[in-house]
Amino acid sequence: MNAQIMNMALVMGSMQITNRLDLEDTKTKQIILGTYIAAQTVVLGISYIIQRRIQAKKDTTVLKYLDQPKPMSGEQPKLTTTTNMAYDLEQNAQAQKQALIGLALMVFLNFQFGVIRPLVVQSILPIKNALQSKWAQVHLFGKPAEGELKRPWKADNPFAALTGGAEEPQSEAAEKAAIKKAEKAESKSGKSESKKDL
């Protein structure tokens, strides 16, 4: 099943569960908040385990890719050279940061405004997303980093299910050609800068 469709089904299901709960009851609120905090702790625990496994592998294979700029920024894709280990740690750190920001935001909304309903959904989706992330698939479940799991990892299109599928991935040959072109452009600009310094 498509991940986006599954997310929508989980959201709808958790909304049905929430509608049957007495959200005015203090004990129910405490259970929901406790479940939410426990779920976020599990997410951070998964992230920590992945981090340790990345560090244990010490995969220093060189990774070159074009870092795509933000849409409508007018900037050209930037050539990035790193290692698999550094790239994976960066992706995992971003996931940890998002989890902590989400946790802080939901706890603030709960204590400041009494928002309780979204905590039910947010107790389920983050664990599912953490386990289905590409870095979890590679480092937690030991799947090879090829095909859809090949680095650099592309963010899933949330509208893919509605538009009839994901966009076509760039072929490996086209990707290599684009990287070589970016390397040449970068070396030319480096030479012209060194001439200016002289």
Side-chain angles (χ1 to χ4, degrees), residues 44 92-102:
L44 290 170
N92 193 54
Q94 284 178 7
Q96 284 176 340
K97 187 178 174 184
Q98 285 177 348
L100 288 169
I101 290 170

Side-chain angles (χ1 to χ4, degrees), residues 50 130-144 149:
I50 292 170
L131 292 172
Q132 286 187 332
S133 68
K134 292 180 170 96
W135 47 97
Q137 294 296 308
V138 171
H139 295 288
L140 210 54
F141 301 112
K143 293 185 179 177
L149 298 177

